[in-house]
Amino acid sequence: MTIIGVMMKIFLVGGAVRDELMGQDVTDRDFVVTGSDVSTMLKLGYTQVGKDFPVFIHPETGEEYALARQERKISLGHDGFQFDFSPETPLETDLMRRDLTINAIAKDDTGEYIDPYNGRGDINKKILRHVSSAFVEDPLRVLRVCRFKAKFPSFKIDDSTFEMMKSMIFSKDFSALSKHRNWQELSKTLQYQQPEHFFYCLTDLEFLPKSVIDHLTVLTFEKETSLIKFSCMLHHPDMLSWVNMIFSPPNEYIFLASKFNKYKNIYNKIEAQELLNCFKDLRAFTNTKWIKLYLQCGHALYGKDLDSLLLPLLEELTRVSAADFPHIDPGPELGEAIEQRRLEIITRSIDAI
């Protein structure tokens, strides 16, 4: 198919090519199309999503296809670009606008690699290197490189790339990023085995203060969820406060991390009143969701399993009700009686350990 004298071609690009070259599992595949335009893609049955930056969904596979593009910086922030999707835009121009050389490799339908910026060389050398000077135009790339440092801890950030990042991170452009967009990068990072390198990178850039990074908790995570990783790593109030200033974690992340910090001493010594307060704060008498998540955090951080002790104890405490005190009218006195009975049960259980 020819458009304005240019043959339409489709290339696999980005992370899929990189991961394939590194021998890793490829989960998501993205494609770039040269020699085409919006109307042609629609005629071929693709579904367009997005307006300023059109992406097309393949009618059978559901995979994403984007037109090769050129872009020009016109305003602050990650989205401050004007795009040109001319069918004559060559693949090399599209690849030049990408962040890192290891992400700027393409593969055609014959299996041949197109690697104009030596991404394969940087994979072999384990280097995270910017593709071009256009790197500085997108402030989000600072966080993206920190994320890739967590994804590939053995890779080194190229010195010139690192200096670019330092110049960007205190700029108005970086400050214009939304906390929600920043969180998307951290959220992806939490899926990796060693997410702590994201924060180490920010400390090396002098963005995350050393006095705060000292409170980061590092664990060997295996199959823990992002919520558990977040709550274990960032539960210290100073660390959690800093993260909340820069990112916008979901409320459940903040809730679990702060409650885990408040009651983590239970894993060192169980005291009746503190444990009862923990159950109440985690709403455990009406729903066991949060107490089970709290226990997952404790297991991940301390390697201790308190489930077999605390969950049966919770069931026993939940059975204590107003019916046990028929001689006391509803009111503060009844509440105090229920609490006292529950404290007695906890104390008895602790003494029996």
Side-chain angles (χ1 to χ4, degrees):
M1 181 177 298
T2 303
I3 302 174
I4 318 180
V6 180
M7 183 69 69
M8 176 177 171
K9 294 183 179 179
I10 297 174
F11 302 89
L12 181 68
V13 294
V17 180
R18 177 200 67 225
D19 291 346
E20 177 184 287
L21 287 167
M22 294 179 66
Q24 299 190 351
D25 292 337
V26 175
T27 54
D28 297 312
R29 303 199 309 164
D30 295 314
F31 298 85
V32 161
V33 182
T34 61
S36 188
D37 57 19
V38 173
S39 61
T40 300
M41 297 297 287
L42 295 176
K43 289 177 182 177
L44 291 173
Y46 290 81
T47 301
Q48 181 178 345
V49 293
K51 184 178 181 182
D52 296 332
F53 180 63
V55 173
F56 301 87
I57 305 301
H58 192 283
E60 296 178 2
T61 67
E63 294 174 320
E64 293 187 355
Y65 290 68
L67 297 176
R69 72 187 189 276
Q70 300 183 65
E71 58 191 29
R72 182 169 62 90
K73 183 77 169 179
I74 57 174
S75 62
L76 291 175
H78 172 64
D79 299 318
F81 292 91
Q82 185 178 70
F83 299 104
D84 177 9
F85 299 96
S86 167
E88 296 182 321
T89 301
L91 174 66
E92 289 75 12
T93 298
D94 180 276
L95 295 176
M96 184 180 67
R97 301 296 301 190
R98 295 176 181 265
D99 51 8
L100 298 171
T101 58
I102 65 171
N103 297 327
I105 310 168
K107 182 181 179 183
D108 66 17
D109 57 4
T110 70
E112 180 181 351
Y113 292 105
I114 298 89
D115 184 16
Y117 307 106
N118 195 31
R120 286 177 294 179
D122 284 342
I123 287 176
N124 292 333
K125 295 176 184 176
K126 295 187 175 182
I127 293 176
L128 301 175
R129 190 194 316 272
H130 65 283
V131 176
S132 72
S133 59
F135 179 91
V136 300
E137 295 181 0
D138 185 352
L140 189 66
R141 287 176 171 174
V142 174
L143 297 181
R144 280 179 57 81
V145 174
C146 291
R147 174 164 66 83
F148 280 112
K149 188 69 179 75
K151 184 177 178 67
F152 306 119
S154 63
F155 277 54
K156 179 184 181 299
I157 300 175
D158 174 74
D159 289 342
S160 59
T161 303
F162 187 80
E163 290 305 314
M164 280 187 175
M165 293 166 65
K166 288 189 72 172
S167 70
M168 295 164 65
I169 202 164
F170 293 104
S171 68
K172 290 182 179 179
D173 216 14
F174 186 83
S175 299
L177 291 172
S178 71
K179 293 170 68 173
H180 173 72
R181 191 63 188 84
N182 293 348
W183 167 251
Q184 291 179 337
E185 293 301 314
L186 177 51
S187 178
K188 292 176 183 177
T189 301
L190 290 170
Q191 298 174 28
Y192 304 149
Q193 187 70 19
Q194 296 179 272
E196 64 271 13
H197 289 280
F198 178 87
F199 298 100
Y200 292 155
C201 187
L202 289 173
T203 301
D204 291 341
L205 291 167
E206 301 178 1
F207 187 66
L208 172 55
K210 290 183 179 179
S211 59
V212 176
I213 194 68
D214 286 343
H215 298 300
L216 178 74
T217 302
V218 179
L219 298 172
T220 301
F221 293 107
E222 294 182 358
K223 297 181 180 180
E224 300 294 351
T225 65
S226 294
L227 174 59
I228 299 301
K229 290 180 183 178
F230 180 96
S231 301
C232 287
M233 293 180 64
L234 309 172
H235 63 268
H236 189 279
D238 291 351
M239 194 74 220
L240 191 58
S241 176
W242 184 88
V243 167
N244 213 23
M245 284 194 302
I246 309 301
F247 307 90
S248 59
N251 290 337
E252 64 177 359
Y253 281 65
I254 299 297
F255 179 81
L256 183 60
S258 59
K259 297 303 181 186
F260 180 65
N261 177 74
K262 185 176 181 180
Y263 296 110
K264 64 183 180 181
N265 286 337
I266 288 173
Y267 275 85
N268 296 320
K269 182 180 180 181
I270 300 177
E271 295 185 352
Q273 187 64 65
E274 184 179 25
L275 180 56
L276 182 57
N277 291 343
C278 176
F279 284 144
K280 291 193 292 185
D281 258 10
L282 293 174
R283 310 161 192 170
F285 293 119
T286 56
N287 189 322
T288 59
K289 169 187 173 180
W290 292 110
I291 189 63
K292 289 180 178 178
L293 289 170
Y294 162 86
L295 291 168
Q296 287 182 48
C297 289
H299 188 267
L301 183 58
Y302 299 113
K304 294 182 179 180
D305 183 2
L306 292 184
D307 299 44
S308 58
L309 170 65
L310 297 191
L311 293 181
L313 177 58
L314 174 61
E315 289 185 13
E316 185 176 358
L317 297 177
T318 302
R319 289 195 292 269
V320 178
S321 67
D324 297 321
F325 307 94
H327 58 288
I328 302 178
D329 294 330
E333 185 180 355
L334 176 60
E336 291 174 6
I338 292 174
E339 173 140 336
Q340 187 59 41
R341 178 68 59 81
R342 286 173 171 170
L343 286 172
E344 291 170 0
I345 294 172
I346 294 174
T347 301
R348 187 173 65 248
S349 297
I350 295 173
D351 291 343
I353 297 177

